[in-house]
mmCIF file of all heavy atoms in Angstrom:
data_model
loop_
_atom_site.group_PDB
_atom_site.id
_atom_site.type_symbol
_atom_site.label_atom_id
_atom_site.label_comp_id
_atom_site.label_asym_id
_atom_site.label_seq_id
_atom_site.Cartn_x
_atom_site.Cartn_y
_atom_site.Cartn_z
ATOM 1 N N ASP A 1617 35.143 -62.994 0.796
ATOM 2 C CA ASP A 1617 35.776 -64.214 0.292
ATOM 3 C C ASP A 1617 36.268 -64.106 -1.151
ATOM 4 O O ASP A 1617 37.230 -64.777 -1.526
ATOM 5 C CB ASP A 1617 34.791 -65.389 0.400
ATOM 6 C CG ASP A 1617 34.334 -65.618 1.833
ATOM 7 O OD1 ASP A 1617 35.194 -65.625 2.729
ATOM 8 O OD2 ASP A 1617 33.121 -65.763 2.058
ATOM 9 N N LEU A 1618 35.598 -63.275 -1.966
ATOM 10 C CA LEU A 1618 36.011 -63.102 -3.363
ATOM 11 C C LEU A 1618 36.624 -61.715 -3.587
ATOM 12 O O LEU A 1618 37.084 -61.417 -4.687
ATOM 13 C CB LEU A 1618 34.806 -63.285 -4.304
ATOM 14 C CG LEU A 1618 34.094 -64.632 -4.195
ATOM 15 C CD1 LEU A 1618 32.877 -64.666 -5.115
ATOM 16 C CD2 LEU A 1618 35.029 -65.783 -4.520
ATOM 17 N N TYR A 1619 36.611 -60.889 -2.535
ATOM 18 C CA TYR A 1619 37.210 -59.552 -2.570
ATOM 19 C C TYR A 1619 36.559 -58.673 -3.646
ATOM 20 O O TYR A 1619 37.208 -57.888 -4.317
ATOM 21 C CB TYR A 1619 38.734 -59.643 -2.739
ATOM 22 C CG TYR A 1619 39.336 -60.551 -1.683
ATOM 23 C CD1 TYR A 1619 39.675 -61.867 -1.973
ATOM 24 C CD2 TYR A 1619 39.481 -60.101 -0.373
ATOM 25 C CE1 TYR A 1619 40.176 -62.715 -0.993
ATOM 26 C CE2 TYR A 1619 39.989 -60.942 0.619
ATOM 27 C CZ TYR A 1619 40.325 -62.253 0.304
ATOM 28 O OH TYR A 1619 40.808 -63.089 1.293
ATOM 29 N N ALA A 1620 35.239 -58.833 -3.766
ATOM 30 C CA ALA A 1620 34.457 -58.108 -4.763
ATOM 31 C C ALA A 1620 33.463 -57.196 -4.040
ATOM 32 O O ALA A 1620 32.465 -57.668 -3.497
ATOM 33 C CB ALA A 1620 33.709 -59.096 -5.667
ATOM 34 N N ASP A 1621 33.740 -55.895 -4.048
ATOM 35 C CA ASP A 1621 32.885 -54.920 -3.362
ATOM 36 C C ASP A 1621 31.826 -54.411 -4.342
ATOM 37 O O ASP A 1621 31.888 -53.285 -4.840
ATOM 38 C CB ASP A 1621 33.722 -53.772 -2.827
ATOM 39 C CG ASP A 1621 32.944 -52.868 -1.877
ATOM 40 O OD1 ASP A 1621 31.708 -53.045 -1.771
ATOM 41 O OD2 ASP A 1621 33.556 -51.977 -1.249
ATOM 42 N N VAL A 1622 30.832 -55.252 -4.598
ATOM 43 C CA VAL A 1622 29.844 -54.998 -5.649
ATOM 44 C C VAL A 1622 29.075 -53.702 -5.400
ATOM 45 O O VAL A 1622 28.821 -52.934 -6.342
ATOM 46 C CB VAL A 1622 28.873 -56.193 -5.778
ATOM 47 C CG1 VAL A 1622 27.904 -55.970 -6.937
ATOM 48 C CG2 VAL A 1622 29.632 -57.492 -5.961
ATOM 49 N N LEU A 1623 28.710 -53.424 -4.162
ATOM 50 C CA LEU A 1623 27.945 -52.211 -3.878
ATOM 51 C C LEU A 1623 28.744 -50.954 -4.205
ATOM 52 O O LEU A 1623 28.180 -49.956 -4.661
ATOM 53 C CB LEU A 1623 27.491 -52.174 -2.419
ATOM 54 C CG LEU A 1623 26.374 -53.139 -2.012
ATOM 55 C CD1 LEU A 1623 25.819 -52.753 -0.644
ATOM 56 C CD2 LEU A 1623 25.247 -53.179 -3.035
ATOM 57 N N LEU A 1624 30.047 -50.993 -3.986
ATOM 58 C CA LEU A 1624 30.881 -49.855 -4.352
ATOM 59 C C LEU A 1624 30.816 -49.615 -5.858
ATOM 60 O O LEU A 1624 30.712 -48.474 -6.313
ATOM 61 C CB LEU A 1624 32.330 -50.104 -3.928
ATOM 62 C CG LEU A 1624 33.307 -48.967 -4.260
ATOM 63 C CD1 LEU A 1624 33.091 -47.784 -3.336
ATOM 64 C CD2 LEU A 1624 34.752 -49.451 -4.170
ATOM 65 N N TRP A 1625 30.851 -50.691 -6.645
ATOM 66 C CA TRP A 1625 30.804 -50.557 -8.109
ATOM 67 C C TRP A 1625 29.461 -49.975 -8.553
ATOM 68 O O TRP A 1625 29.411 -49.108 -9.422
ATOM 69 C CB TRP A 1625 31.020 -51.916 -8.781
ATOM 70 C CG TRP A 1625 32.217 -52.662 -8.283
ATOM 71 C CD1 TRP A 1625 33.298 -52.148 -7.604
ATOM 72 C CD2 TRP A 1625 32.455 -54.061 -8.395
ATOM 73 N NE1 TRP A 1625 34.188 -53.155 -7.293
ATOM 74 C CE2 TRP A 1625 33.699 -54.344 -7.767
ATOM 75 C CE3 TRP A 1625 31.756 -55.127 -8.966
ATOM 76 C CZ2 TRP A 1625 34.237 -55.628 -7.703
ATOM 77 C CZ3 TRP A 1625 32.284 -56.402 -8.909
ATOM 78 C CH2 TRP A 1625 33.516 -56.649 -8.278
ATOM 79 N N VAL A 1626 28.382 -50.468 -7.934
ATOM 80 C CA VAL A 1626 27.046 -49.949 -8.266
ATOM 81 C C VAL A 1626 26.951 -48.463 -7.914
ATOM 82 O O VAL A 1626 26.538 -47.633 -8.728
ATOM 83 C CB VAL A 1626 25.955 -50.750 -7.529
ATOM 84 C CG1 VAL A 1626 24.597 -50.060 -7.647
ATOM 85 C CG2 VAL A 1626 25.872 -52.172 -8.066
ATOM 86 N N ASN A 1627 27.346 -48.121 -6.689
ATOM 87 C CA ASN A 1627 27.178 -46.744 -6.198
ATOM 88 C C ASN A 1627 28.096 -45.765 -6.911
ATOM 89 O O ASN A 1627 27.768 -44.574 -7.021
ATOM 90 C CB ASN A 1627 27.404 -46.702 -4.689
ATOM 91 C CG ASN A 1627 26.312 -47.424 -3.922
ATOM 92 O OD1 ASN A 1627 25.177 -47.502 -4.376
ATOM 93 N ND2 ASN A 1627 26.656 -47.988 -2.774
ATOM 94 N N ASN A 1628 29.244 -46.226 -7.399
ATOM 95 C CA ASN A 1628 30.166 -45.355 -8.124
ATOM 96 C C ASN A 1628 29.876 -45.317 -9.623
ATOM 97 O O ASN A 1628 30.547 -44.598 -10.366
ATOM 98 C CB ASN A 1628 31.621 -45.795 -7.902
ATOM 99 C CG ASN A 1628 32.141 -45.404 -6.535
ATOM 100 O OD1 ASN A 1628 31.454 -44.744 -5.766
ATOM 101 N ND2 ASN A 1628 33.354 -45.797 -6.223
ATOM 102 N N GLY A 1629 28.891 -46.105 -10.071
ATOM 103 C CA GLY A 1629 28.543 -46.110 -11.487
ATOM 104 C C GLY A 1629 29.594 -46.771 -12.357
ATOM 105 O O GLY A 1629 29.793 -46.376 -13.503
ATOM 106 N N TRP A 1630 30.262 -47.823 -11.822
ATOM 107 C CA TRP A 1630 31.306 -48.521 -12.576
ATOM 108 C C TRP A 1630 30.749 -49.729 -13.335
ATOM 109 O O TRP A 1630 31.514 -50.554 -13.839
ATOM 110 C CB TRP A 1630 32.428 -48.972 -11.662
ATOM 111 C CG TRP A 1630 33.187 -47.842 -11.046
ATOM 112 C CD1 TRP A 1630 33.171 -46.531 -11.420
ATOM 113 C CD2 TRP A 1630 34.083 -47.922 -9.925
ATOM 114 N NE1 TRP A 1630 33.993 -45.783 -10.610
ATOM 115 C CE2 TRP A 1630 34.567 -46.611 -9.676
ATOM 116 C CE3 TRP A 1630 34.502 -48.970 -9.104
ATOM 117 C CZ2 TRP A 1630 35.475 -46.328 -8.654
ATOM 118 C CZ3 TRP A 1630 35.409 -48.690 -8.079
ATOM 119 C CH2 TRP A 1630 35.884 -47.378 -7.862
ATOM 120 N N LEU A 1631 29.450 -49.852 -13.380
ATOM 121 C CA LEU A 1631 28.812 -50.864 -14.212
ATOM 122 C C LEU A 1631 27.453 -50.331 -14.635
ATOM 123 O O LEU A 1631 26.929 -49.396 -14.045
ATOM 124 C CB LEU A 1631 28.708 -52.220 -13.496
ATOM 125 C CG LEU A 1631 28.193 -52.289 -12.050
ATOM 126 C CD1 LEU A 1631 26.683 -52.211 -12.017
ATOM 127 C CD2 LEU A 1631 28.651 -53.581 -11.403
ATOM 128 N N ASP A 1632 26.897 -50.927 -15.677
ATOM 129 C CA ASP A 1632 25.619 -50.455 -16.222
ATOM 130 C C ASP A 1632 24.457 -51.342 -15.820
ATOM 131 O O ASP A 1632 23.305 -50.928 -15.903
ATOM 132 C CB ASP A 1632 25.700 -50.358 -17.749
ATOM 133 C CG ASP A 1632 26.751 -49.355 -18.192
ATOM 134 O OD1 ASP A 1632 26.792 -48.254 -17.608
ATOM 135 O OD2 ASP A 1632 27.547 -49.668 -19.095
ATOM 136 N N TYR A 1633 24.753 -52.566 -15.419
ATOM 137 C CA TYR A 1633 23.718 -53.431 -14.850
ATOM 138 C C TYR A 1633 24.383 -54.495 -13.993
ATOM 139 O O TYR A 1633 25.552 -54.826 -14.172
ATOM 140 C CB TYR A 1633 22.835 -54.066 -15.932
ATOM 141 C CG TYR A 1633 23.512 -55.087 -16.835
ATOM 142 C CD1 TYR A 1633 23.577 -56.436 -16.483
ATOM 143 C CD2 TYR A 1633 24.053 -54.705 -18.067
ATOM 144 C CE1 TYR A 1633 24.171 -57.371 -17.329
ATOM 145 C CE2 TYR A 1633 24.646 -55.625 -18.907
ATOM 146 C CZ TYR A 1633 24.705 -56.962 -18.527
ATOM 147 O OH TYR A 1633 25.300 -57.900 -19.358
ATOM 148 N N CYS A 1634 23.620 -54.998 -13.039
ATOM 149 C CA CYS A 1634 24.122 -55.989 -12.084
ATOM 150 C C CYS A 1634 23.155 -57.172 -12.042
ATOM 151 O O CYS A 1634 21.937 -56.980 -11.986
ATOM 152 C CB CYS A 1634 24.241 -55.343 -10.705
ATOM 153 S SG CYS A 1634 24.896 -56.430 -9.416
ATOM 154 N N VAL A 1635 23.712 -58.386 -12.095
ATOM 155 C CA VAL A 1635 22.879 -59.604 -12.097
ATOM 156 C C VAL A 1635 23.344 -60.559 -10.991
ATOM 157 O O VAL A 1635 24.083 -61.513 -11.243
ATOM 158 C CB VAL A 1635 22.947 -60.350 -13.448
ATOM 159 C CG1 VAL A 1635 21.833 -61.405 -13.524
ATOM 160 C CG2 VAL A 1635 22.851 -59.413 -14.622
ATOM 161 N N PRO A 1636 22.956 -60.314 -9.741
ATOM 162 C CA PRO A 1636 23.353 -61.244 -8.685
ATOM 163 C C PRO A 1636 22.788 -62.641 -8.934
ATOM 164 O O PRO A 1636 21.631 -62.785 -9.333
ATOM 165 C CB PRO A 1636 22.758 -60.626 -7.418
ATOM 166 C CG PRO A 1636 21.661 -59.726 -7.903
ATOM 167 C CD PRO A 1636 22.103 -59.222 -9.236
ATOM 168 N N GLN A 1637 23.618 -63.635 -8.724
ATOM 169 C CA GLN A 1637 23.215 -65.023 -8.977
ATOM 170 C C GLN A 1637 22.485 -65.570 -7.736
ATOM 171 O O GLN A 1637 23.089 -66.190 -6.864
ATOM 172 C CB GLN A 1637 24.443 -65.874 -9.294
ATOM 173 C CG GLN A 1637 25.186 -65.416 -10.541
ATOM 174 C CD GLN A 1637 26.507 -66.139 -10.730
ATOM 175 O OE1 GLN A 1637 26.737 -67.224 -10.187
ATOM 176 N NE2 GLN A 1637 27.403 -65.544 -11.494
ATOM 177 N N ILE A 1638 21.180 -65.347 -7.705
ATOM 178 C CA ILE A 1638 20.381 -65.838 -6.570
ATOM 179 C C ILE A 1638 19.812 -67.201 -6.970
ATOM 180 O O ILE A 1638 18.641 -67.326 -7.333
ATOM 181 C CB ILE A 1638 19.271 -64.831 -6.196
ATOM 182 C CG1 ILE A 1638 19.838 -63.421 -6.048
ATOM 183 C CG2 ILE A 1638 18.608 -65.259 -4.879
ATOM 184 C CD1 ILE A 1638 18.811 -62.371 -5.676
ATOM 185 N N TYR A 1639 20.649 -68.198 -6.919
ATOM 186 C CA TYR A 1639 20.303 -69.507 -7.469
ATOM 187 C C TYR A 1639 19.562 -70.411 -6.481
ATOM 188 O O TYR A 1639 19.144 -71.511 -6.838
ATOM 189 C CB TYR A 1639 21.574 -70.223 -7.943
ATOM 190 C CG TYR A 1639 22.192 -69.633 -9.193
ATOM 191 C CD1 TYR A 1639 23.452 -70.024 -9.609
ATOM 192 C CD2 TYR A 1639 21.513 -68.687 -9.967
ATOM 193 C CE1 TYR A 1639 24.029 -69.499 -10.765
ATOM 194 C CE2 TYR A 1639 22.076 -68.154 -11.109
ATOM 195 C CZ TYR A 1639 23.338 -68.567 -11.502
ATOM 196 O OH TYR A 1639 23.908 -68.058 -12.642
ATOM 197 N N TRP A 1640 19.402 -69.965 -5.237
ATOM 198 C CA TRP A 1640 18.792 -70.815 -4.224
ATOM 199 C C TRP A 1640 17.264 -70.773 -4.297
ATOM 200 O O TRP A 1640 16.677 -69.945 -4.993
ATOM 201 C CB TRP A 1640 19.254 -70.364 -2.836
ATOM 202 C CG TRP A 1640 20.744 -70.390 -2.692
ATOM 203 C CD1 TRP A 1640 21.522 -71.463 -2.382
ATOM 204 C CD2 TRP A 1640 21.644 -69.281 -2.869
ATOM 205 N NE1 TRP A 1640 22.848 -71.090 -2.352
ATOM 206 C CE2 TRP A 1640 22.954 -69.765 -2.649
ATOM 207 C CE3 TRP A 1640 21.475 -67.936 -3.195
ATOM 208 C CZ2 TRP A 1640 24.083 -68.950 -2.735
ATOM 209 C CZ3 TRP A 1640 22.586 -67.116 -3.290
ATOM 210 C CH2 TRP A 1640 23.878 -67.625 -3.059
ATOM 211 N N GLU A 1641 16.641 -71.648 -3.546
ATOM 212 C CA GLU A 1641 15.179 -71.689 -3.519
ATOM 213 C C GLU A 1641 14.639 -70.782 -2.417
ATOM 214 O O GLU A 1641 15.368 -70.390 -1.485
ATOM 215 C CB GLU A 1641 14.687 -73.128 -3.291
ATOM 216 C CG GLU A 1641 14.910 -73.696 -1.895
ATOM 217 C CD GLU A 1641 16.299 -74.297 -1.687
ATOM 218 O OE1 GLU A 1641 17.166 -74.122 -2.559
ATOM 219 O OE2 GLU A 1641 16.496 -74.955 -0.634
ATOM 220 N N ILE A 1642 13.376 -70.443 -2.521
ATOM 221 C CA ILE A 1642 12.685 -69.738 -1.447
ATOM 222 C C ILE A 1642 12.630 -70.680 -0.248
ATOM 223 O O ILE A 1642 12.197 -71.822 -0.353
ATOM 224 C CB ILE A 1642 11.259 -69.339 -1.873
ATOM 225 C CG1 ILE A 1642 11.313 -68.375 -3.054
ATOM 226 C CG2 ILE A 1642 10.480 -68.730 -0.709
ATOM 227 C CD1 ILE A 1642 9.969 -68.135 -3.721
ATOM 228 N N GLY A 1643 13.120 -70.194 0.881
ATOM 229 C CA GLY A 1643 13.127 -71.025 2.080
ATOM 230 C C GLY A 1643 14.445 -71.713 2.365
ATOM 231 O O GLY A 1643 14.572 -72.401 3.390
ATOM 232 N N ASN A 1644 15.447 -71.535 1.505
ATOM 233 C CA ASN A 1644 16.754 -72.133 1.775
ATOM 234 C C ASN A 1644 17.283 -71.598 3.114
ATOM 235 O O ASN A 1644 17.267 -70.390 3.357
ATOM 236 C CB ASN A 1644 17.722 -71.786 0.636
ATOM 237 C CG ASN A 1644 19.088 -72.426 0.805
ATOM 238 O OD1 ASN A 1644 19.886 -71.997 1.627
ATOM 239 N ND2 ASN A 1644 19.338 -73.453 0.018
ATOM 240 N N ARG A 1645 17.760 -72.493 3.963
ATOM 241 C CA ARG A 1645 18.126 -72.100 5.328
ATOM 242 C C ARG A 1645 19.345 -71.185 5.361
ATOM 243 O O ARG A 1645 19.443 -70.298 6.207
ATOM 244 C CB ARG A 1645 18.384 -73.347 6.178
ATOM 245 C CG ARG A 1645 17.115 -74.155 6.432
ATOM 246 C CD ARG A 1645 17.405 -75.420 7.207
ATOM 247 N NE ARG A 1645 17.901 -75.138 8.553
ATOM 248 C CZ ARG A 1645 18.284 -76.075 9.416
ATOM 249 N NH1 ARG A 1645 18.234 -77.353 9.061
ATOM 250 N NH2 ARG A 1645 18.725 -75.747 10.614
ATOM 251 N N ALA A 1646 20.291 -71.380 4.447
ATOM 252 C CA ALA A 1646 21.510 -70.564 4.454
ATOM 253 C C ALA A 1646 21.364 -69.309 3.603
ATOM 254 O O ALA A 1646 21.915 -68.253 3.931
ATOM 255 C CB ALA A 1646 22.694 -71.392 3.966
ATOM 256 N N ALA A 1647 20.633 -69.436 2.492
ATOM 257 C CA ALA A 1647 20.534 -68.319 1.544
ATOM 258 C C ALA A 1647 19.142 -68.332 0.908
ATOM 259 O O ALA A 1647 18.939 -68.855 -0.181
ATOM 260 C CB ALA A 1647 21.617 -68.444 0.482
ATOM 261 N N ASP A 1648 18.204 -67.740 1.595
ATOM 262 C CA ASP A 1648 16.802 -67.735 1.155
ATOM 263 C C ASP A 1648 16.615 -66.768 -0.017
ATOM 264 O O ASP A 1648 16.978 -65.591 0.072
ATOM 265 C CB ASP A 1648 15.927 -67.328 2.344
ATOM 266 C CG ASP A 1648 14.463 -67.150 1.975
ATOM 267 O OD1 ASP A 1648 14.010 -67.807 1.027
ATOM 268 O OD2 ASP A 1648 13.774 -66.346 2.638
ATOM 269 N N TYR A 1649 16.045 -67.247 -1.102
ATOM 270 C CA TYR A 1649 15.807 -66.421 -2.290
ATOM 271 C C TYR A 1649 14.986 -65.186 -1.939
ATOM 272 O O TYR A 1649 15.304 -64.078 -2.386
ATOM 273 C CB TYR A 1649 15.081 -67.259 -3.351
ATOM 274 C CG TYR A 1649 14.764 -66.528 -4.638
ATOM 275 C CD1 TYR A 1649 15.599 -66.627 -5.742
ATOM 276 C CD2 TYR A 1649 13.618 -65.741 -4.767
ATOM 277 C CE1 TYR A 1649 15.315 -65.962 -6.932
ATOM 278 C CE2 TYR A 1649 13.323 -65.062 -5.944
ATOM 279 C CZ TYR A 1649 14.174 -65.187 -7.025
ATOM 280 O OH TYR A 1649 13.885 -64.516 -8.197
ATOM 281 N N ASP A 1650 13.937 -65.351 -1.154
ATOM 282 C CA ASP A 1650 13.069 -64.245 -0.764
ATOM 283 C C ASP A 1650 13.874 -63.164 -0.038
ATOM 284 O O ASP A 1650 13.773 -61.965 -0.350
ATOM 285 C CB ASP A 1650 11.940 -64.766 0.123
ATOM 286 C CG ASP A 1650 10.902 -63.693 0.451
ATOM 287 O OD1 ASP A 1650 11.275 -62.682 1.082
ATOM 288 O OD2 ASP A 1650 9.721 -63.860 0.080
ATOM 289 N N THR A 1651 14.694 -63.574 0.902
ATOM 290 C CA THR A 1651 15.528 -62.633 1.655
ATOM 291 C C THR A 1651 16.481 -61.891 0.728
ATOM 292 O O THR A 1651 16.643 -60.664 0.822
ATOM 293 C CB THR A 1651 16.348 -63.386 2.720
ATOM 294 O OG1 THR A 1651 15.453 -63.985 3.657
ATOM 295 C CG2 THR A 1651 17.304 -62.456 3.453
ATOM 296 N N LEU A 1652 17.099 -62.624 -0.201
ATOM 297 C CA LEU A 1652 18.137 -62.036 -1.045
ATOM 298 C C LEU A 1652 17.589 -61.114 -2.122
ATOM 299 O O LEU A 1652 18.172 -60.058 -2.395
ATOM 300 C CB LEU A 1652 18.989 -63.149 -1.674
ATOM 301 C CG LEU A 1652 19.985 -63.781 -0.694
ATOM 302 C CD1 LEU A 1652 20.537 -65.083 -1.235
ATOM 303 C CD2 LEU A 1652 21.117 -62.800 -0.384
ATOM 304 N N ILE A 1653 16.470 -61.464 -2.738
ATOM 305 C CA ILE A 1653 15.935 -60.562 -3.771
ATOM 306 C C ILE A 1653 15.493 -59.248 -3.136
ATOM 307 O O ILE A 1653 15.669 -58.177 -3.733
ATOM 308 C CB ILE A 1653 14.786 -61.232 -4.575
ATOM 309 C CG1 ILE A 1653 14.472 -60.399 -5.839
ATOM 310 C CG2 ILE A 1653 13.527 -61.420 -3.740
ATOM 311 C CD1 ILE A 1653 13.491 -61.068 -6.782
ATOM 312 N N ARG A 1654 14.973 -59.312 -1.919
ATOM 313 C CA ARG A 1654 14.595 -58.087 -1.217
ATOM 314 C C ARG A 1654 15.839 -57.257 -0.866
ATOM 315 O O ARG A 1654 15.836 -56.027 -0.980
ATOM 316 C CB ARG A 1654 13.790 -58.403 0.046
ATOM 317 C CG ARG A 1654 12.432 -59.027 -0.241
ATOM 318 C CD ARG A 1654 11.690 -59.401 1.036
ATOM 319 N NE ARG A 1654 10.516 -60.193 0.744
ATOM 320 C CZ ARG A 1654 9.332 -59.685 0.387
ATOM 321 N NH1 ARG A 1654 9.185 -58.378 0.300
ATOM 322 N NH2 ARG A 1654 8.307 -60.486 0.146
ATOM 323 N N TRP A 1655 16.903 -57.954 -0.436
ATOM 324 C CA TRP A 1655 18.129 -57.250 -0.064
ATOM 325 C C TRP A 1655 18.736 -56.534 -1.270
ATOM 326 O O TRP A 1655 19.071 -55.350 -1.193
ATOM 327 C CB TRP A 1655 19.154 -58.232 0.520
ATOM 328 C CG TRP A 1655 20.367 -57.533 1.074
ATOM 329 C CD1 TRP A 1655 20.559 -57.112 2.353
ATOM 330 C CD2 TRP A 1655 21.527 -57.111 0.329
ATOM 331 N NE1 TRP A 1655 21.771 -56.462 2.463
ATOM 332 C CE2 TRP A 1655 22.388 -56.457 1.231
ATOM 333 C CE3 TRP A 1655 21.925 -57.236 -0.996
ATOM 334 C CZ2 TRP A 1655 23.619 -55.925 0.854
ATOM 335 C CZ3 TRP A 1655 23.140 -56.701 -1.393
ATOM 336 C CH2 TRP A 1655 23.975 -56.053 -0.481
ATOM 337 N N TRP A 1656 18.866 -57.228 -2.381
ATOM 338 C CA TRP A 1656 19.458 -56.616 -3.573
ATOM 339 C C TRP A 1656 18.593 -55.469 -4.098
ATOM 340 O O TRP A 1656 19.103 -54.431 -4.510
ATOM 341 C CB TRP A 1656 19.678 -57.667 -4.667
ATOM 342 C CG TRP A 1656 20.863 -58.541 -4.398
ATOM 343 C CD1 TRP A 1656 20.860 -59.801 -3.862
ATOM 344 C CD2 TRP A 1656 22.248 -58.233 -4.649
ATOM 345 N NE1 TRP A 1656 22.146 -60.290 -3.755
ATOM 346 C CE2 TRP A 1656 23.011 -59.350 -4.234
ATOM 347 C CE3 TRP A 1656 22.904 -57.128 -5.183
ATOM 348 C CZ2 TRP A 1656 24.415 -59.385 -4.344
ATOM 349 C CZ3 TRP A 1656 24.291 -57.164 -5.294
ATOM 350 C CH2 TRP A 1656 25.023 -58.274 -4.877
ATOM 351 N N SER A 1657 17.279 -55.635 -4.069
ATOM 352 C CA SER A 1657 16.380 -54.575 -4.517
ATOM 353 C C SER A 1657 16.540 -53.320 -3.672
ATOM 354 O O SER A 1657 16.505 -52.196 -4.178
ATOM 355 C CB SER A 1657 14.921 -55.053 -4.477
ATOM 356 O OG SER A 1657 14.037 -54.029 -4.856
ATOM 357 N N GLN A 1658 16.759 -53.517 -2.389
ATOM 358 C CA GLN A 1658 16.905 -52.381 -1.466
ATOM 359 C C GLN A 1658 18.267 -51.700 -1.602
ATOM 360 O O GLN A 1658 18.369 -50.472 -1.552
ATOM 361 C CB GLN A 1658 16.717 -52.848 -0.023
ATOM 362 C CG GLN A 1658 16.858 -51.725 1.008
ATOM 363 C CD GLN A 1658 16.725 -52.224 2.440
ATOM 364 O OE1 GLN A 1658 16.382 -53.379 2.679
ATOM 365 N NE2 GLN A 1658 17.018 -51.354 3.400
ATOM 366 N N HIS A 1659 19.332 -52.495 -1.804
ATOM 367 C CA HIS A 1659 20.687 -51.947 -1.684
ATOM 368 C C HIS A 1659 21.414 -51.720 -3.013
ATOM 369 O O HIS A 1659 22.416 -51.012 -3.029
ATOM 370 C CB HIS A 1659 21.539 -52.885 -0.818
ATOM 371 C CG HIS A 1659 21.104 -52.941 0.612
ATOM 372 N ND1 HIS A 1659 21.395 -51.953 1.523
ATOM 373 C CD2 HIS A 1659 20.382 -53.870 1.285
ATOM 374 C CE1 HIS A 1659 20.873 -52.272 2.693
ATOM 375 N NE2 HIS A 1659 20.257 -53.428 2.587
ATOM 376 N N ALA A 1660 20.952 -52.328 -4.098
ATOM 377 C CA ALA A 1660 21.751 -52.294 -5.335
ATOM 378 C C ALA A 1660 20.961 -51.802 -6.542
ATOM 379 O O ALA A 1660 21.273 -52.160 -7.671
ATOM 380 C CB ALA A 1660 22.333 -53.671 -5.619
ATOM 381 N N ALA A 1661 19.966 -50.957 -6.309
ATOM 382 C CA ALA A 1661 19.146 -50.474 -7.422
ATOM 383 C C ALA A 1661 19.655 -49.152 -7.996
ATOM 384 O O ALA A 1661 18.974 -48.513 -8.786
ATOM 385 C CB ALA A 1661 17.688 -50.332 -6.977
ATOM 386 N N GLY A 1662 20.877 -48.752 -7.612
ATOM 387 C CA GLY A 1662 21.456 -47.546 -8.174
ATOM 388 C C GLY A 1662 21.837 -47.708 -9.635
ATOM 389 O O GLY A 1662 22.086 -46.725 -10.335
ATOM 390 N N ARG A 1663 21.911 -48.931 -10.087
ATOM 391 C CA ARG A 1663 22.061 -49.285 -11.494
ATOM 392 C C ARG A 1663 21.024 -50.371 -11.793
ATOM 393 O O ARG A 1663 20.587 -51.080 -10.870
ATOM 394 C CB ARG A 1663 23.468 -49.821 -11.781
ATOM 395 C CG ARG A 1663 24.532 -48.719 -11.954
ATOM 396 C CD ARG A 1663 24.310 -47.962 -13.244
ATOM 397 N NE ARG A 1663 25.411 -47.084 -13.622
ATOM 398 C CZ ARG A 1663 25.415 -45.770 -13.468
ATOM 399 N NH1 ARG A 1663 24.379 -45.182 -12.878
ATOM 400 N NH2 ARG A 1663 26.424 -45.027 -13.878
ATOM 401 N N PRO A 1664 20.591 -50.501 -13.062
ATOM 402 C CA PRO A 1664 19.597 -51.532 -13.376
ATOM 403 C C PRO A 1664 19.974 -52.885 -12.780
ATOM 404 O O PRO A 1664 21.101 -53.367 -12.946
ATOM 405 C CB PRO A 1664 19.613 -51.555 -14.899
ATOM 406 C CG PRO A 1664 19.927 -50.133 -15.271
ATOM 407 C CD PRO A 1664 20.921 -49.680 -14.237
#
Side-chain angles (χ1 to χ4, degrees):
D1617 301 314
L1618 302 177
Y1619 307 100
D1621 191 351
V1622 184
L1623 288 193
L1624 180 73
W1625 310 341
V1626 169
N1627 292 332
N1628 284 356
W1630 294 345
L1631 47 80
D1632 298 315
Y1633 68 88
C1634 182
V1635 193
Q1637 299 172 21
I1638 310 180
Y1639 289 169
W1640 302 277
E1641 71 276 10
I1642 298 169
N1644 183 285
R1645 292 177 65 183
D1648 174 28
Y1649 180 96
D1650 186 298
T1651 297
L1652 284 165
I1653 193 172
R1654 294 177 190 277
W1655 187 92
W1656 284 99
S1657 178
Q1658 180 182 352
H1659 293 282
R1663 279 290 192 257

